[in-house]
Amino acid sequence: MKFTVKGLIALFVTSSALFLTPMRSDAQVNMKTLAEVAKSCHKDVPSKEYYQQMLLNFNSDLNECIRSRYHYSLILDEFPELASTGEILPGYPGSVAVGQIASIFHSDGRWHLLDCIIANDTSSDACWQSKKKISEGGEYRYHFRANTNRISYYLPYICPSCVVAHDEVSGSGEVILKAFMEWFMKLDKSQRREVISLLGDDDKARQLRELINDESEAAVKEYREARARVQQQEQERRRRELLGN
């Protein structure tokens, strides 16, 4: 997405208008959260400095930023204690790892994360899926430089320091998975149950991931519709100014 000065003005106008424009939301989107997310994305998405801290040459995507940040806000709303559970790697909070895994594991299927943690062996068959997903298949810098479109936007839009931490051990999904498992084992039992209630293979966990993903998708749709309404209103205002009626 390319941003001109005119386009940026429209984006910030839209962000402010989200607080003021009446919304209909069949998916129960939290409009205050969406407005806050949109405002932060408007600030960061066109910023070269934002991506430079990750050493990324990034193809900006406002919708992906909104989807990812709204998704993570739902994770913290559902499990607020996660925010204070420490890091899996320096600069990589465990809460972000949980959100990133949930965003990837949202579809049906068995991912065997709990089986992997129980096995306590990152090279085991039980860990194959989790290891593959948690490492994002290589360096972010490589994927975005090569424009492979085979990597998620989640970490770059949620946690720049996580991208740096990820790429420092890239090529070794075992390192990241092992760090996640060690972080998990340091949680108290109630916190472990909370994490597995989201990242487990049972029906309730899958349904919760789907609900969070669906609401995040709905938030992007609401944003697009709000932006279109604001831009239409602005066009009508300019037409009236021009024609005097």
Side-chain angles (χ1 to χ4, degrees):
M1 182 182 295
K2 295 182 179 179
F3 290 87
T4 62
V5 173
K6 181 179 178 181
L8 283 173
I9 292 172
L11 287 178
F12 282 106
V13 167
T14 303
S15 178
S16 300
L18 279 169
F19 287 107
L20 305 174
T21 305
M23 298 288 179
R24 57 174 182 77
S25 179
D26 298 332
Q28 303 299 317
V29 172
N30 184 316
M31 300 314 300
K32 181 178 180 182
T33 298
L34 176 55
E36 292 170 350
V37 164
K39 185 176 181 180
S40 70
C41 287
H42 294 160
K43 175 178 178 290
D44 292 335
V45 165
S47 169
K48 290 184 179 180
E49 290 78 11
Y50 181 78
Y51 305 112
Q52 285 173 350
Q53 63 186 311
M54 299 174 274
L55 302 180
L56 293 180
N57 182 15
F58 206 61
N59 293 323
S60 305
D61 194 310
L62 183 64
N63 292 329
E64 291 292 344
C65 179
I66 290 172
R67 179 182 293 106
S68 297
R69 291 186 180 182
Y70 190 92
H71 183 281
Y72 185 57
S73 74
L74 293 182
I75 298 292
L76 293 184
D77 285 346
E78 187 74 19
F79 306 104
E81 290 187 4
L82 277 179
S84 59
T85 53
E87 300 175 325
I88 67 169
L89 293 167
Y92 196 151
S95 58
V96 177
V98 169
Q100 190 256 356
I101 296 170
S103 72
I104 295 173
F105 282 9
H106 72 81
S107 59
D108 290 338
R110 291 181 58 83
W111 302 101
H112 304 286
L113 180 62
L114 182 57
D115 294 338
C116 172
I117 294 171
I118 291 171
N120 195 28
D121 179 3
T122 56
S123 62
S124 67
D125 290 342
C127 290
W128 182 80
Q129 288 277 21
S130 298
K131 180 169 57 179
K132 178 182 177 182
K133 293 297 184 180
I134 201 170
S135 69
E136 285 286 11
E139 292 184 1
Y140 279 87
R141 293 160 196 163
Y142 165 75
H143 282 286
F144 285 117
R145 184 170 61 248
N147 196 27
T148 65
N149 295 320
R150 287 165 47 194
I151 202 163
S152 80
Y153 292 86
Y154 204 86
L155 289 190
Y157 284 132
I158 301 301
C159 177
S161 65
C162 297
V163 173
V164 176
H166 175 278
D167 279 9
E168 286 181 352
V169 297
S170 183
S172 178
E174 292 188 7
V175 174
I176 299 175
L177 179 57
K178 183 178 180 181
F180 178 83
M181 292 163 63
E182 290 174 350
W183 167 84
F184 179 87
M185 293 306 298
K186 291 177 183 177
L187 303 178
D188 62 42
K189 290 184 179 180
S190 65
Q191 291 172 328
R192 294 178 198 171
R193 288 193 295 270
E194 285 189 343
V195 171
I196 296 304
S197 74
L198 176 64
L199 302 183
D201 287 331
D202 60 278
D203 289 342
K204 287 185 177 179
R206 287 197 296 268
Q207 289 170 5
L208 178 56
R209 293 195 298 268
E210 285 291 346
L211 285 172
I212 291 173
N213 183 70
D214 289 348
E215 185 174 333
S216 301
E217 294 287 347
V220 175
K221 181 181 178 182
E222 289 282 1
Y223 170 79
R224 288 172 174 168
E225 292 175 354
R227 180 182 180 185
R229 286 195 294 273
V230 170
Q231 290 176 334
Q232 183 178 8
Q233 291 167 4
E234 178 64 13
Q235 187 174 10
E236 285 295 319
R237 183 188 66 80
R238 292 178 180 179
R239 185 188 67 82
R240 289 193 299 271
E241 287 182 352
L242 181 63
L243 299 179
N245 56 15

